Amino acid sequence: MAQCLELAQRGKGNTTPNPMVGAVLVHNDKIIGEGLHHFYGSAHAEVNCLDSVAEDDKYLIPESTMYVNLEPCAHTGITPPCANRLAEEKVKRVVIANKDPFEKVSGRGIAILDAAGIEVVTGVSEQEGLWVNRRFFCYETHKRPYIILKWAQTADGFMAPTDKSKLQITGQESMELSHKWRTEEAAIMVGYLTALHDNPNLTARLYQGRQPLRITLDRNLTLPETNNLFNSEAATWILNEQHETVSGNIHYIRVPFDENMLHALLIRLYDAHITSIIVEGGAELHNSFIDCDLWDEARIFTANEMNIGDGIPAPELKHAAPGFEKKVGKDTLALLINQNSDYPYVTGMEL
Ligand SMILES: NC(=O)c1ccc[n+]([C@@H]2O[C@H](COP(=O)([O-])OP(=O)(O)OC[C@H]3O[C@@H](n4cnc5c(N)ncnc54)[C@H](OP(=O)(O)O)[C@@H]3O)[C@@H](O)[C@H]2O)c1
């Protein structure tokens, strides 16, 4: 199962809104097939695994065990049901980490395997599987994207100078890692003042991968048209109170600018099949997510050698559980998990 999860994560960032899935076929302690779901719309892990078995080994399939981290699907989507393929191939045993909460599967995949006389074992490395697919499980179960808060702070706990001038807090290694993270999430968001003062691109230009949807707040549509967020480099949502229109890659999304704003945004994101969002600041936006208890994990860089004495204080998380702490260049990266999260961090796992 560890090998399944390792294979699954090779699809990180590319399978959304689908989960990351790996499959391994074992005969007498020997791996005879492996596969993963590479990207959304492509063949599923179980099919790739069965197709990878060498011609000379195919007769072993009915005596083999398939390990797969998610319940095989039971419905025809872009591809046919994997549970039927496993039944046709008469695989002897299927070992599963997590049942699929997706309502078109949810137990039906296992029922097809049972009916075909295949022995089914569930719950193997369940916590690890939940962690790997936390975005997918959160989206399907809680009907909202998984929410990651990310910020950088000085050693004395500030996110920015008081005058909101742009200050590069972290080192190059942390910046590169942040760009890698952008490729792994479906959307990225900043507050109005960050968009205005920092003029960010919010692109993943330091790491090759998928570009997330960019989102910013602009209540009265006062961001200058020269702002980088209006460039053509990515689809962008401008949340505002004025109108709902689309102009090229720029989507003007009307939301109420009151205590329901974040809830309204999450509904819009759910409807657009956005399974995760990384919120990159500023402090006011982070604090509004924290106040609504709308966050799942926080990734905090601390620049150990930078003190500015005064500024915008970094947010304070409520009921946060420690994940890990590690050095990234000269900075320290801390992972914190919301204690109410259904997807606790499992020691030793990747982000
Ligand atoms: N260190 C870091 O990681 C980091 C990251 C990002 C930014 N920064 C820095 O942080 C500073 C900006 O942060 P900030 O805290 O002042 O501003 P911010 O969070 O970027 O933007 C705040 C503005 O966004 C709108 N807004 C935010 N949350 C809202 C909500 N829930 N509902 C309605 N409107 C909401 C409001 O604008 P309106 O009232 O006009 O609608 C509010 O004034 C900049 O200096 C930037 O460089 C640092």
Side-chain angles (χ1 to χ4, degrees):
M1 192 57 78
Q3 174 69 0
C4 279
L5 291 168
E6 199 277 311
L7 285 166
Q9 289 176 93
R10 293 186 201 169
K12 195 182 284 177
N14 296 322
T15 63
T16 180
N18 279 350
M20 291 176 253
V21 188
V24 177
L25 193 66
V26 176
H27 180 264
N28 281 351
D29 290 338
K30 185 179 165 226
I31 292 176
I32 61 166
E34 280 188 340
L36 71 130
H37 181 44
H38 289 273
F39 55 88
Y40 179 74
S42 70
H44 289 185
E46 301 91 316
V47 170
N48 284 332
C49 176
L50 288 165
D51 288 349
S52 78
V53 177
E55 227 24 73
D56 290 353
D57 286 341
K58 286 216 191 301
Y59 75 100
L60 298 172
I61 293 176
E63 295 161 30
S64 300
T65 296
M66 178 172 286
Y67 293 83
V68 58
N69 60 292
L70 192 73
E71 175 181 0
C73 67
H75 66 297
T76 302
I78 299 175
T79 57
C82 292
N84 291 11
R85 173 78 188 269
L86 289 164
E88 281 160 24
E89 300 265 4
K90 299 185 170 51
V91 173
K92 187 177 176 197
R93 205 162 72 107
V94 176
V95 179
I96 298 165
N98 304 109
K99 290 189 188 162
D100 192 338
F102 182 55
E103 52 194 15
K104 286 186 179 160
V105 182
S106 196
R108 291 185 182 88
I110 290 173
I112 292 173
L113 301 179
D114 276 341
I118 296 172
E119 184 191 342
V120 180
V121 180
T122 57
V124 172
S125 304
E126 194 171 12
Q127 289 302 316
E128 288 83 348
L130 276 180
W131 174 254
V132 166
N133 273 316
R134 59 199 185 281
R135 300 160 180 85
F136 170 75
F137 289 123
C138 177
Y139 180 83
E140 292 298 339
T141 309
H142 300 292
K143 310 292 179 205
R144 66 158 173 84
Y146 185 83
I147 302 166
I148 300 169
L149 306 182
K150 179 251 153 183
W151 70 81
Q153 60 189 26
T154 60
D156 52 356
F158 297 104
M159 253 180 89
T162 314
D163 66 1
K164 301 195 199 300
S165 57
K166 193 168 178 173
L167 173 69
Q168 183 55 46
I169 295 178
T170 51
Q172 184 67 17
E173 291 92 337
S174 302
M175 263 170 57
E176 285 171 13
L177 183 55
S178 302
H179 280 229
K180 174 175 184 285
W181 290 345
R182 289 177 178 182
T183 67
E184 295 169 355
E185 309 309 332
I188 178 170
M189 180 175 188
V190 292
Y192 173 74
L193 292 174
T194 298
L196 185 70
H197 291 284
D198 290 7
N199 192 16
N201 271 293
L202 300 186
T203 53
R205 58 202 173 278
L206 299 180
Y207 195 85
Q208 202 177 359
R210 200 166 168 272
Q211 168 63 43
L213 169 72
R214 303 183 294 196
I215 304 172
T216 193
L217 296 166
D218 187 7
R219 183 178 197 149
N220 296 312
L221 297 176
T222 48
L223 277 180
E225 277 177 20
T226 51
N227 190 282
N228 286 328
L229 293 179
F230 293 104
N231 68 25
S232 59
E233 288 175 29
T236 306
W237 281 14
I238 308 288
L239 306 183
N240 72 94
E241 258 185 347
Q242 309 299 318
H243 61 231
E244 176 93 23
T245 47
V246 180
S247 170
N249 61 317
I250 309 296
H251 299 238
Y252 293 91
I253 307 280
R254 184 162 35 207
V255 289
F257 272 65
D258 57 21
E259 68 281 2
N260 292 319
M261 201 264 280
L262 294 183
H263 291 282
L265 167 63
L266 295 179
I267 290 169
R268 295 296 296 258
L269 290 172
Y270 177 80
D271 290 345
H273 306 289
I274 297 292
T275 54
S276 67
I277 179 168
I278 185 161
V279 182
E280 292 208 357
E284 193 172 335
L285 183 63
H286 279 140
N287 283 324
S288 56
F289 274 93
I290 294 166
D291 289 345
C292 297
D293 200 25
L294 285 172
W295 67 281
D296 296 289
E297 72 183 68
R299 302 175 183 181
I300 305 166
F301 286 112
T302 302
N304 298 305
E305 293 172 6
M306 187 185 285
N307 288 284
I308 56 173
D310 193 15
I312 301 176
E316 273 181 40
L317 295 165
K318 293 164 196 157
H319 44 75
F324 63 69
E325 232 180 67
K326 66 175 186 181
K327 291 290 287 247
V328 178
K330 288 182 175 171
D331 307 323
T332 299
L333 168 65
L335 172 74
L336 293 148
I337 307 292
N338 190 325
Q339 270 172 359
N340 298 327
S341 170
D342 294 338
Y343 319 106
Y345 176 65
V346 181
T347 307
M349 298 290 288
E350 291 175 25
L351 276 176

